[in-house]
Amino acid sequence: MDFDEVLRRRRMVRSYEPDRPVPAELVDKIVAHALRAPSAGFSQGWGFLVLTEPADRARYWASLAGPDEPDEPDEPGGPDEPGGPDEPDEPDEPDEPDEPDEPGGPDAWLVRLSAAPLVIVALSNKSVYLDRYAQPDKGWTDRDEAHWPVPYWDIDTGFAALLMHLTAVNEGLGSCFVGLPVGTIPAFKAAFGIPEEYTPIGALTVGYRAADKRSPSLRRGHRPVHDVVHLGRWAG
């Protein structure tokens, strides 16, 4: 698929065909493309938990059923944008009304997400970066996190997640990036034996798209280019 077309079709998809698994070769390709992401000092301080078996996916969703589970029909992290295969991005077209709430209440979005036949949790490892930049060619021997203006371990892992997301789109799949509710992270890590030094930055649900529900966040529309792009200097 042409790259411009991949970007046009890219959206957060929350509904999947539950009985149509992602072929193993596509799972391998999606994960392999994550390894092409850039990382500071080529630290590659990331890890990916790939869940394809129904029992493993059920354990994942069960681990998130904690007190901090979100109660709004949007994913807890990651933008909503139009532009799916059946919804070309038409910025000048009037916004359509949202579909009525579906049976099941405000958590129905989670039920739809949990039908995805593939879940990939992206995790970052700060210690890998601190160790890498304490090496002779970098020279921050004190491993002080204050050297870092932003958490590149999370940013780089986010790059990797985006490459997986775009790869899924390129292969005709739907995908959604969702955060893990803060209070559920200990239960998630315990359920899958995640080492302490790894932090989940989010998960990708992946699968073949089913009829989806329009996110109410789309009412906001795209911010105008002149509000977010500043050429030469940040003009007031």
Side-chain angles (χ1 to χ4, degrees):
M1 190 183 301
D2 178 81
F3 186 67
D4 289 346
E5 183 67 6
V6 170
L7 294 184
R8 188 188 72 80
R9 290 173 177 255
R10 193 223 63 76
R11 61 167 298 184
M12 294 298 180
V13 173
R14 297 175 183 79
S15 298
Y16 304 93
E17 297 182 19
D19 300 322
R20 190 179 178 189
V22 178
E25 61 272 18
L26 290 188
V27 176
D28 291 344
K29 184 175 184 177
I30 289 168
V31 177
H33 282 188
L35 307 183
R36 302 296 302 176
S39 64
F42 207 40
S43 299
Q44 306 165 79
W46 46 49
F48 308 102
L49 177 68
V50 181
L51 307 175
T52 58
E53 294 298 322
D56 292 332
R57 289 185 278 110
R59 185 183 307 114
Y60 170 74
W61 294 111
S63 74
L64 303 188
D68 288 344
E69 184 179 337
D71 56 6
E72 295 295 332
D74 282 328
E75 76 279 5
D80 301 277
E81 295 186 23
D86 300 321
E87 301 178 58
D89 190 2
E90 299 286 351
D92 297 326
E93 185 177 338
D95 195 15
E96 299 175 5
D98 297 323
E99 298 177 17
D101 287 339
E102 55 197 300
D107 294 335
W109 68 272
L110 186 58
V111 174
R112 290 185 287 124
L113 277 179
S114 65
L118 170 62
V119 176
I120 305 173
V121 185
L123 305 102
S124 67
N125 187 338
K126 175 173 64 177
S127 65
V128 171
Y129 285 74
L130 300 184
D131 290 343
R132 171 70 184 96
Y133 276 76
Q135 293 175 357
D137 63 322
K138 296 299 182 183
W140 292 346
T141 56
D142 56 5
R143 298 181 79 256
D144 188 351
E145 190 176 340
H147 292 302
W148 297 83
V150 292
Y152 273 87
W153 36 91
D154 294 335
I155 292 171
D156 293 347
T157 306
F159 280 145
L162 179 58
L163 289 184
M164 291 190 286
H165 180 58
L166 293 179
T167 301
V169 175
N170 188 60
E171 297 296 331
L173 298 164
S175 172
C176 186
F177 182 79
V178 293
L180 281 69
V182 174
T184 68
I185 290 176
F188 157 73
K189 294 179 75 171
F192 291 96
I194 306 295
E196 179 61 31
E197 61 269 24
Y198 281 91
T199 300
I201 69 157
L204 286 167
T205 55
V206 183
Y208 290 94
R209 290 181 56 184
D212 210 2
K213 175 179 167 63
R214 184 179 177 87
S215 168
S217 296
L218 292 177
R219 293 172 180 161
R220 297 171 56 84
H222 289 286
R223 291 180 62 189
V225 171
H226 61 76
D227 279 358
V228 295
V229 178
H230 307 272
L231 301 176
R233 61 174 294 166
W234 201 288

